[in-house]
Amino acid sequence: MTTFLYENPVFLEHEVPEGHPERPDRLKALNLALEHPNFSDLKRIEAKKASEDLVLLAHPEEHLAAVRRAIPEEGLNHFEADTCASPLSLDAALTGIGGATAAVDAVFTGETDNAFVAARPPGHHAEKNKAMGFCLFNTVAIAARYAQKVHGAERVAIVDWDVHHGNGTQDIFWDDPSVLFCSTHQMPLYPGTGAKDETGIKGNVVNAPLSPNMGSEHFREAFRSRVLSALTNFRPDFILISAGFDAHHRDPLAQINLVAEDFDWATGRLHEIADRSAGNRMVSLLEGGYDLQGLAESAGLHILRLMRG
Ligand SMILES: [Zn+2]
């Protein structure tokens, strides 16, 4: 397997208030973990800033304009209590989209088998018309639409194992059966969506909620019985992962008790699906994960499994 990793120093320049969990130190912790010799074969690429047009693959013009207007010349500006913009936030978000779409290009042209995009801010809470939950644009949704439009992907699967439900991604693909959206997450928890009976208009949304204090066994059972079975039936020709690592037991924002090895396991299962129907094509995007040690260990094992197949 070959794995590309997309990064850019601008991802550290999206600023947040003191004490905010979605902070630049998250990427610094991941970078430290990637210094291990295990990662010497990882090809690290500087992500380039995308043109604003790509935002329109998943959002209306009004949303792009609202984010543009919200960017302050200095200091911070708040969209809602937890979601803010600093002077370079639009550059960071567009560079995340640039990394994600370059990763899609690289897997479809066969330059690499798979890729990880180590960007912030995250994206899966951003709805068509709303920045929320630390997210400005829904990068994974834009990447899915880009794969369809530019590379002719017909059956894109998005697997979201962030501990929070990917309400934004669900919102965007609610009536679009060309994309299968599968999510494991804690419930009840922010943002409140993600019940089992939320299935999308055409049944292309699969939610597997977990109760607080559940751990590896329940996660793996839900992943097997809900997510993997839906993927097997759907036969995706491309798999995107909304890779949040906040279901780790050390994470301060939730009460699911996964260990880093669970992310290695889940990545391995997705490899099997990708091998069967998607020519190994997978692109994984960093979403949440707020305990630095839990994030570094979990994302490290996830990336290592992407590299090793
Ligand atoms: Zn999360």
Side-chain angles (χ1 to χ4, degrees):
M1 289 284 158
T2 53
T3 300
F4 287 0
L5 180 135
Y6 290 85
E7 58 192 345
N8 190 304
V10 77
F11 298 141
L12 302 174
E13 303 295 332
H14 166 62
E15 294 168 44
V16 290
E18 186 71 35
H20 193 288
E22 201 292 284
R23 58 212 191 274
D25 282 353
R26 300 174 62 231
L27 290 181
K28 293 180 188 164
L30 176 58
N31 272 328
L32 264 178
L34 295 177
E35 284 177 11
H36 192 280
N38 274 341
F39 298 98
S40 54
D41 289 341
L42 187 63
K43 185 169 175 197
R44 298 174 71 160
I45 297 169
E46 184 158 291
K48 295 191 180 73
K49 187 173 154 183
S51 82
E52 292 188 351
D53 293 354
L54 291 183
V55 172
L56 305 180
L57 290 170
H59 300 280
E61 178 76 54
E62 298 76 55
H63 179 66
L64 172 61
V67 173
R68 221 192 272 123
R69 269 199 312 275
I71 301 296
E73 282 192 27
E74 56 182 51
L76 295 175
N77 193 13
H78 285 259
F79 291 92
E80 51 160 31
D82 287 338
T83 311
C84 54
S86 65
L88 289 177
S89 293
L90 181 60
D91 286 354
L94 289 172
T95 306
I97 294 167
T101 51
V104 172
D105 288 335
V107 299
F108 274 94
T109 57
E111 275 181 85
T112 186
D113 293 301
N114 57 52
F116 185 80
V117 184
R120 55 180 292 281
H124 73 150
H125 292 306
E127 298 186 343
K128 281 185 205 126
N129 234 326
K130 191 175 182 198
M132 62 180 275
F134 317 160
C135 305
L136 306 184
F137 302 128
N138 197 310
T139 317
V140 77
I142 292 166
R145 289 258 162 85
Y146 181 85
Q148 294 179 318
K149 189 176 167 194
V150 176
H151 297 285
E154 290 176 350
R155 295 179 317 280
V156 179
I158 301 175
V159 177
D160 184 332
W161 63 52
D162 188 281
V163 81
H164 303 94
H165 181 241
N167 61 294
T169 315
Q170 173 169 299
D171 172 59
I172 290 164
F173 297 110
W174 186 252
D175 56 359
D176 179 356
S178 69
V179 172
L180 174 71
F181 174 63
C182 302
S183 176
T184 59
H185 46 272
Q186 179 179 322
M187 196 168 197
L189 188 67
Y190 180 90
T193 48
K196 261 188 186 170
D197 62 1
E198 295 169 26
T199 58
I201 306 274
K202 310 272 171 123
N204 59 303
V205 170
V206 175
N207 284 307
L210 303 168
S211 301
N213 301 314
M214 283 184 169
S216 304
E217 199 180 320
H218 285 105
F219 167 74
R220 292 187 187 202
E221 162 54 25
F223 201 78
R224 248 188 234 112
S225 66
R226 308 269 301 157
V227 176
L228 295 176
S229 64
L231 288 169
T232 300
N233 290 334
F234 185 69
R235 294 186 51 78
D237 55 9
F238 177 44
I239 298 176
L240 281 156
I241 307 173
S242 262
F245 300 97
D246 39 11
H248 189 278
H249 67 94
R250 290 180 55 96
D251 199 277
L253 265 55
Q255 294 80 41
I256 296 294
N257 296 313
L258 299 195
V259 292
E261 287 72 17
D262 291 313
F263 299 103
D264 167 72
W265 174 84
T267 311
R269 302 292 74 73
L270 295 185
H271 259 307
E272 292 165 2
I273 306 273
D275 175 48
R276 246 179 277 149
S277 65
N280 288 317
R281 288 182 291 271
M282 287 201 281
V283 170
S284 177
L285 312 184
L286 179 64
E287 300 281 2
Y290 304 102
D291 175 77
L292 299 183
Q293 184 187 329
L295 168 66
E297 287 176 7
S298 304
L301 286 188
H302 167 59
I303 294 166
L304 203 55
R305 181 55 57 202
L306 286 176
M307 294 168 67
R308 291 180 174 171

